[in-house]
Amino acid sequence: MATLILSGEAAIAQSTSSVSGPQVSPGSAIEFRAGAAETNDDTAFSYRLSGAHAITDTLRVRAIAGWQDGESTGPQFSYIEADLLWQFCGREPDAPYKSALRIDVRQDERREQQRIGVNWLNQIDLTPHWRTRLMASVDKEFNSAND
């Protein structure tokens, strides 16, 4: 079974998302992600651009913008998001367990929705090359058309 999972079949869809880690890295970073998905009548590409900056060794701010581009729809802005990450556990480089809280605010342009989320991010280093991440999230969505 493990061989089947790790064999690496061709992907027909990709995501620009991930399970976030709890670590605050010093300095600033810019990241670009791209993904593609095929539907019955279209090929859609998703893009995500983010910029992050460590305010201190335990606090990080980040801004994210996402958009899509489909053959039949053209480019469409998807969302903009801002978050604040506070790493409160495992700051030592060799700490086997790291934990953080992240508060995020998101505006979805197409559906006129806003979301506020609180996320508890955890990472356990199993070996120097393997780790597992666990994430618990609570979100509240607001729809400006209905609120």
Side-chain angles (χ1 to χ4, degrees):
M1 179 68 130
T3 304
L4 180 62
I5 293 171
L6 298 175
S7 66
E9 291 294 320
I12 58 169
Q14 297 177 0
S15 173
T16 58
S17 181
S18 67
V19 177
S20 300
Q23 286 185 272
V24 173
S25 299
S28 300
I30 296 175
E31 181 180 71
F32 177 79
R33 295 182 181 190
E38 298 245 0
T39 62
N40 292 339
D41 57 346
D42 199 4
T43 300
F45 297 95
S46 296
Y47 305 98
R48 182 178 118 168
L49 179 64
S50 66
H53 177 71
I55 299 170
T56 68
D57 61 345
T58 60
L59 283 175
R60 183 210 68 204
V61 294
R62 180 173 62 170
I64 303 169
W67 65 98
Q68 295 182 340
D69 189 4
E71 292 174 336
S72 63
T73 60
Q76 294 182 346
F77 180 72
S78 298
Y79 65 90
I80 189 163
E81 183 173 323
D83 68 45
L84 177 68
L85 178 78
W86 171 48
Q87 183 178 355
F88 59 86
C89 181
R91 287 293 312 151
E92 305 79 26
D94 59 344
Y97 173 71
K98 299 164 183 69
S99 192
L101 286 176
R102 187 184 76 213
I103 298 171
D104 52 56
V105 179
R106 181 175 177 147
Q107 171 68 47
D108 184 330
E109 287 297 318
R110 290 182 292 172
R111 291 188 286 275
E112 296 182 0
Q113 290 180 335
Q114 298 83 36
R115 184 191 78 204
I116 297 174
V118 177
N119 308 275
W120 179 29
L121 312 174
N122 298 276
Q123 178 175 302
I124 301 167
D125 295 338
L126 303 173
T127 72
H129 302 288
W130 288 87
R131 64 180 175 238
T132 186
R133 289 183 175 170
L134 307 161
M135 183 172 158
S137 298
V138 176
D139 294 331
K140 171 67 177 158
E141 288 188 355
F142 303 90
N143 185 328
S144 62
N146 297 330
D147 289 343

